[in-house]
Amino acid sequence: MPVESIEDPSIKIKPGKKLIEFICKNVKKTNTTPAAIVALKKSSRDKQKNILLKLDELRWLNKYLEEYRTTNIERIYLHELLEQDDIILPTPKITPRNAELEARTQKLKAQQDAMKYKAMTKNVDTTTMNLPEDSISYQMKQINKQLIAVAQFVFSVLAGFAFGFIGVELIVGSLDFGFRLLLGIICALIIALAEIYFLAIKLNEDAYDSVSTTSTPKKQHQE
């Protein structure tokens, strides 16, 4: 599934019981005390569960513990207070895929699996011994389709060049050779870009149709 960018990349800590108790009992409110730690001291137990601490609050708390250990006998370290805490990592928002695209993808996947299965079992299954794509006539038809499509592309580009090189002069009048050549190249490039787009669509449709026909099982009637 497509993933969007992360709106809030900050890592958050959900404080546990041990950390909350230490903050409520030992941390004193000053001008430098972060707002989240002040909220933990003032909030009730139910609201304390919804307060999250960021890395800035933890850095401040680590400095506070360093000063706390210099004036108190009790040795408390930050990692001891964070043993039971939950870390909330930033997660990107997942956008659901288009339902029509997903259905077509699954259909193509099923057709590819069916083709692979038929290719594996055609030597032991008499009903699929001779697949259409194995015959020379089928291969020749596919080659002819590709050649015709390429020939149409070449003729269209040549016709566009001829129109820009000769046709414009017949309509407007006598023109310089270099300007006529430039017009022919421009017309040929425009037609080439359009033809490449339609040629790609045509080749894709042919491939999709060939997959659809070969994946459809044929019934054999016995008299």
Side-chain angles (χ1 to χ4, degrees):
M1 288 187 178
V3 178
E4 297 183 0
S5 59
I6 299 175
E7 297 179 357
D8 186 7
S10 59
I11 299 175
K12 299 177 182 179
I13 303 295
K14 187 175 182 181
K17 182 179 179 181
K18 193 173 182 179
L19 179 59
I20 293 174
E21 288 180 356
F22 176 81
I23 291 175
C24 293
K25 293 180 180 179
N26 301 305
V27 176
K28 297 179 181 180
K29 181 181 177 182
T30 61
N31 294 332
T32 60
T33 305
I37 294 179
V38 175
L40 278 175
K41 290 180 64 68
K42 293 182 177 181
S43 301
S44 60
R45 290 185 178 180
D46 295 334
K47 293 183 179 180
Q48 286 175 347
K49 298 178 181 179
N50 299 325
I51 298 175
L52 301 177
L53 300 179
K54 297 183 179 179
L55 294 179
D56 294 335
E57 284 87 0
L58 295 179
R59 292 191 186 99
W60 181 90
L61 188 59
N62 187 41
K63 292 181 180 179
Y64 182 86
L65 287 171
E66 290 177 358
E67 298 177 359
Y68 180 83
R69 288 192 295 269
T70 58
T71 57
N72 293 272
I73 301 175
E74 187 180 10
R75 298 290 178 178
I76 299 177
Y77 295 90
L78 182 61
H79 70 274
E80 296 175 352
L81 300 177
L82 299 177
E83 287 180 352
Q84 299 177 354
D85 296 356
D86 296 330
I87 300 176
I88 301 176
L89 299 176
T91 55
K93 184 179 179 181
I94 299 176
T95 304
R97 295 184 63 179
N98 183 272
E100 183 178 353
L101 176 62
E102 184 67 21
R104 184 173 182 182
T105 303
Q106 295 297 329
K107 183 178 180 181
L108 289 174
K109 184 178 179 181
Q111 290 173 350
Q112 291 291 337
D113 293 340
M115 289 180 61
K116 291 179 180 178
Y117 177 77
K118 285 187 177 181
M120 291 171 60
T121 60
K122 67 178 182 179
N123 293 329
V124 296
D125 190 357
T126 57
T127 59
T128 59
M129 184 72 70
N130 297 318
L131 294 177
E133 61 269 21
D134 293 338
S135 61
I136 298 177
S137 61
Y138 178 84
Q139 299 295 335
M140 292 301 298
K141 288 181 181 179
Q142 294 299 321
I143 293 174
N144 290 335
K145 285 183 180 180
Q146 308 295 334
L147 291 176
I148 291 172
V150 173
Q152 289 177 350
F153 171 78
V154 173
F155 288 141
S156 298
V157 173
L158 291 177
F161 178 80
F163 173 78
F165 186 74
I166 301 173
V168 176
E169 185 182 29
L170 295 177
I171 297 173
V172 178
S174 179
L175 296 173
D176 183 63
F177 176 81
F179 184 70
R180 290 165 52 200
L181 182 63
L182 181 62
L183 284 176
I185 294 174
I186 292 174
C187 293
L189 286 175
I190 294 173
I191 294 176
L193 291 175
E195 286 292 331
I196 288 173
Y197 172 75
F198 291 110
L199 180 63
I201 294 177
K202 176 64 177 174
L203 295 177
N204 186 36
E205 289 179 352
D206 292 341
Y208 180 76
D209 292 338
S210 64
V211 171
S212 300
T213 54
T214 54
S215 61
T216 304
K218 296 182 179 181
K219 296 183 179 179
Q220 292 186 353
H221 299 279
Q222 296 180 355
E223 295 181 357

